Amino acid sequence: DGGITQSPKYLFRKEGQNVTLSCEQNLNHDAMYWYRQDPGQGLRLIYYSQIVNDFQKGDIAEGYSVSREKKESFPLTVTSAQKNPTAFYLCASSLAGDRPVEQFFGPGTRLTVL
Amino acid sequence: QQQVKQSPQSLIVQKGGISIINCAYENTAFDYFPWYQQFPGKGPALLIAIRPDVSEKKEGRFTISFNKSAKQFSLHIMDSQPGDSATYFCAATISGGSYIPTFGRGTSLIVHP
């Protein structure tokens, strides 16, 4: 059963802590993405990766870091430098190529800073 | 700068009515326009998409209308049902680049029974 999994579903963080959100896909997609969703703000791109061991900053990368050591995995670390990390985080993947393709989204992780 | 403007932010319709969500863009290089549907607590999923070489695309009760000269496109949901209650995002993508869509801010649709 192919798809994207994100864990945990809910995450609570104390101020000053780094936390890592997991994203795994078994769709054999080359490209993976992290978005942040806030009410009324739509989906804002944090980081994306189109190939293993390579990734690019999106529109709101400050305070976040990623790695892409495996094709299937694209974890996101929310660092203590992120001033307002409480949000819903979505991971997505897609085929890479020379034409627009559908993005497949995971179920999301809701991060709350206490 | 918001490249894709979506309206309204929220929409309430009665069961059986027509829901209309509008999007406008500035960048004429956009050439692929998908719509995503998101239910509460879930990730978005592709609903329907259109390219600018056609003015309309219909899939069941969902229709995209595209006006290239006005740089606008809209989603029409005919015979709206309570199960259509969700957040809808329009998006736009440029071919030849990274193909990462630029999303509108979303419309929260509530369909009353």
Side-chain angles (χ1 to χ4, degrees):
Chain A
D1 198 14
I4 301 178
T5 57
Q6 291 185 243
S7 61
K9 187 176 178 71
Y10 299 97
L11 185 57
F12 298 91
R13 189 194 91 170
K14 294 181 180 179
E15 285 194 20
Q17 283 184 334
N18 292 354
V19 291
T20 298
L21 282 58
S22 170
C23 178
E24 304 276 335
Q25 55 97 1
N26 61 4
L27 299 168
N28 200 32
H29 286 168
D30 291 302
M32 298 187 74
Y33 316 80
W34 274 105
Y35 290 92
R36 170 178 172 145
Q37 185 175 16
D38 297 281
Q41 294 293 317
L43 303 175
R44 293 186 290 170
L45 183 66
I46 304 173
Y47 269 98
Y48 66 100
S49 167
Q50 295 185 302
I51 195 169
V52 174
N53 292 323
D54 188 41
F55 49 83
Q56 284 74 44
K57 293 182 179 180
D59 301 318
I60 57 166
E62 184 176 352
Y64 301 96
S65 65
V66 294
S67 63
R68 186 85 187 278
E69 297 177 1
K70 297 187 301 181
K71 185 176 183 178
E72 301 80 17
S73 178
F74 192 40
L76 173 74
T77 297
V78 184
T79 75
S80 57
Q82 170 50 235
K83 298 304 179 188
N84 184 22
T86 295
F88 189 52
Y89 290 87
L90 288 160
C91 178
S93 72
S94 71
L95 294 169
D98 58 357
R99 57 183 176 83
V101 292
E102 176 183 356
Q103 285 188 322
F104 291 81
F105 286 84
T109 292
R110 187 164 298 279
L111 172 63
T112 302
V113 174
L114 304 174
Chain B
Q1 181 183 3
Q2 190 181 354
Q3 293 195 57
V4 178
K5 294 184 179 181
Q6 183 172 347
S7 63
Q9 186 172 353
S10 61
L11 180 62
I12 300 174
V13 300
Q14 292 296 123
K15 179 182 176 182
I18 302 174
S19 304
I20 302 174
I21 303 170
N22 300 300
C23 286
Y25 63 97
E26 289 296 325
N27 190 343
T28 55
F30 287 138
D31 59 1
Y32 179 72
F33 302 89
W35 284 87
Y36 283 82
Q37 179 188 53
Q38 182 183 28
F39 293 106
K42 306 293 184 182
L46 180 67
L47 182 64
I48 186 172
I50 196 169
R51 296 185 184 276
D53 52 346
V54 296
S55 60
E56 185 176 283
K57 183 174 181 179
K58 183 176 181 180
E59 290 186 4
R61 295 183 294 108
F62 300 90
T63 299
I64 301 178
S65 297
F66 188 84
N67 186 331
K68 189 174 182 178
S69 61
K71 293 184 287 186
Q72 295 176 347
F73 57 110
S74 60
L75 176 69
H76 296 235
I77 306 174
M78 311 300 289
D79 187 25
S80 298
Q81 300 296 312
D84 297 330
S85 298
T87 298
Y88 293 82
F89 294 96
C90 63
T93 305
I94 300 173
S95 296
S98 61
Y99 308 110
I100 297 172
T102 298
F103 286 91
R105 292 190 174 185
T107 296
S108 175
L109 170 66
I110 297 175
V111 181
H112 283 310

